[in-house]
Amino acid sequence: MERPAAPESRPRRRDRHGRGLRGPLAPPQVPMSLSRSEMFDDYVRESVERLERRWPQLAEVEFAVQDVPGPLPGEPEPDPTDARADDVPLGRVIAASQGRPDRIVVFRRPVETRAKGRDERAALVHEVVVEQVAELLGVDPDEIDPGPDAT
């Protein structure tokens, strides 16, 4: 038995039960509405702002977030069979070259896999940023950010 054709004059909608169209699950100002990568970017930004107050020369440094580490230009591709979880870097310092400033890159996925919760992830991001800044400036990480215990 054939079905009668739907009338062409009426547009189809997803509002089948008369409750209105679906909206966002959370308003934009709520942290839940941020994606994991946006939250991670915020962690890095907050960490950098915290350090720039104490180290104004960091205003000249470019900070970036990359999902996973990759080889630098000119480096050979690593053999995946040789990789261990301990060998995956959490961040990298890229020295200034060809008119580009010094750059610090934090790798999102390796950091996220090592941190269980939101607070632990934020603390680990800050630790990685502090270590990379210390490497860039050639000083001890405790000198960059002594932490809350220092007087």
Side-chain angles (χ1 to χ4, degrees):
M1 183 171 184
E2 282 187 54
R3 293 184 131 195
E8 297 296 325
S9 62
R10 191 175 61 170
R12 290 184 55 129
R13 295 188 194 146
R14 296 296 294 161
D15 181 18
R16 289 184 279 193
H17 300 287
R19 293 185 290 240
L21 297 175
R22 289 185 180 183
L25 294 176
Q29 64 272 18
V30 178
M32 181 181 159
S33 70
L34 297 176
S35 69
R36 285 190 333 207
S37 64
E38 290 171 332
M39 286 178 63
F40 194 88
D41 292 347
D42 286 347
Y43 296 148
V44 172
R45 191 175 302 112
E46 290 167 5
S47 181
V48 170
E49 288 171 357
R50 185 169 144 189
L51 294 176
E52 279 181 340
R53 284 186 231 126
R54 185 175 166 138
W55 300 89
Q57 63 265 41
L58 292 179
E60 308 288 324
V61 178
E62 219 177 72
F63 289 86
V65 174
Q66 192 174 330
D67 281 343
V68 292
L72 290 172
E75 283 185 351
E77 283 283 332
D79 184 13
T81 59
D82 292 342
R84 291 189 353 231
D86 300 346
D87 295 340
V88 177
L90 303 179
R92 177 181 286 160
V93 174
I94 302 172
S97 66
Q98 300 174 0
R100 290 189 68 152
D102 290 318
R103 189 169 198 210
I104 293 178
V105 181
V106 181
F107 301 118
R108 184 175 67 86
R109 297 295 299 264
V111 170
E112 285 180 338
T113 59
R114 284 173 177 79
K116 291 178 180 44
R118 195 176 280 182
D119 293 337
E120 191 176 323
R121 190 173 304 123
L124 183 57
V125 165
H126 184 68
E127 185 179 324
V128 170
V129 171
V130 166
E131 287 174 1
Q132 299 307 312
V133 167
E135 182 180 330
L136 177 69
L137 300 178
V139 296
D140 188 58
D142 289 334
E143 191 176 330
I144 297 295
D145 186 33
D149 300 337
T151 56

